[in-house]
DNA sequence: CTCATATTTCGACTTTCTTAGAAATATAAG
DNA sequence: CTTATATTTCTAAGAAAGTCGAAATATGAG
């Protein structure tokens, strides 16, 4: 993963409201959840929620699919896996950091 | 880990300059690296660097130790472990998300 | 004490983010 | 076509972040 993309995803998750949205979507599983359902859980105005969902989509952490008038949002699990992998491995690519940080052999 | 703390750490790593700093520190290992050494690697002004190091410290991702006039910065590996654990597990605490996301049994 | 080095604090500026109401758009139902 | 629902776009305002030069501080050396 490129550093810029990782930074963008980390920044996206760094906003408390967006982290809540993302947590809700992760827990919603493959089925996903509509923007309106997320709004019901969070209680933020629709325009604010739309803005944050867009941000999450732009980073690739979330995907969207239209179903009639509702928009289904889903956590992009492979993207999350890639980000976790970046944090765990890319930062320690040269093997000089403590073994506890590495998930791959040096 | 509390959500607010996780968000603060994610936001801290979300800035490209800070992510670079953090990567440098992670690779520096337990020995750490002085602010000046980091500056030599990144080429950002001292005041900017100081600002970012402070932010990283405030979130707990980095620790500092004075050695005479130089300040040694070190990546806080347990903090990183906790953040990775948060992303991998806390978001999936109720076990409804796909198994690929879980590191603990439901 | 004075000097030199390392780092921080201050101050100012510009940019970006966050928020949310109002209006616009999209889609389906009747 | 009209209506109803879901979501986005527009717009604006204040808050926060990022940057960096200049000045201040801290520590040790001579």
């Amino acid at each position: 993963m490129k550093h810029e993309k990782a930074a963008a995803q980390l920044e996206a998750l760094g906003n408390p409201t967006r982290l809540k949205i993302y947590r809700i979507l992760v827990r919603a599983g493959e089925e996903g959840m509509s923007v309106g359902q997320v709004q019901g859980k969070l209680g933020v105005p629709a325009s604010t929620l739309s803005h944050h969902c867009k941000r999450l989509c732009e980073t690739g952490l979330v995907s969207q699919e239209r179903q009639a008038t509702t928009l289904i949002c889903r956590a992009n699990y492979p993207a999350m896996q890639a980000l976790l992998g970046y944090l765990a491995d890319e930062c320690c690519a040269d093997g000089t950091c403590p073994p506890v940080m590495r998930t791959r052999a040096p």
Side-chain angles (χ1 to χ4, degrees), chain A:
Chain A
M1 182 183 306
K2 293 196 182 80
H3 305 318
E4 292 300 329
K5 183 173 184 180
Q9 292 183 339
L10 290 166
E11 187 197 18
L13 294 176
N15 177 274
T17 301
R18 280 194 298 270
L19 185 56
K20 285 176 193 161
I21 295 170
Y22 187 73
R23 274 170 31 89
I24 287 172
L25 293 179
V26 167
R27 291 173 186 226
E30 300 288 1
E31 187 185 343
M33 194 176 277
S34 73
V35 175
Q37 286 177 307
V38 174
Q39 186 181 14
K41 289 218 167 203
L42 280 187
V44 300
S47 60
T48 302
L49 185 59
S50 177
H51 168 74
H52 285 310
C53 285
K54 187 180 176 186
R55 291 278 307 263
L56 286 169
C57 278
E58 286 171 349
T59 65
L61 285 169
V62 165
S63 63
Q64 293 182 327
E65 180 197 353
R66 272 220 98 89
Q67 285 185 1
T69 60
T70 70
L71 195 70
I72 304 298
C73 300
R74 293 189 184 86
N76 184 346
Y77 298 108
M80 173 57 115
Q81 287 290 308
L83 182 58
L84 285 170
Y86 173 87
L87 289 175
D89 296 336
E90 180 68 12
C91 280
C92 311
D94 58 5
T96 56
C97 64
V100 70
M101 291 295 293
R102 278 180 262 128
T103 59
R104 280 185 248 152

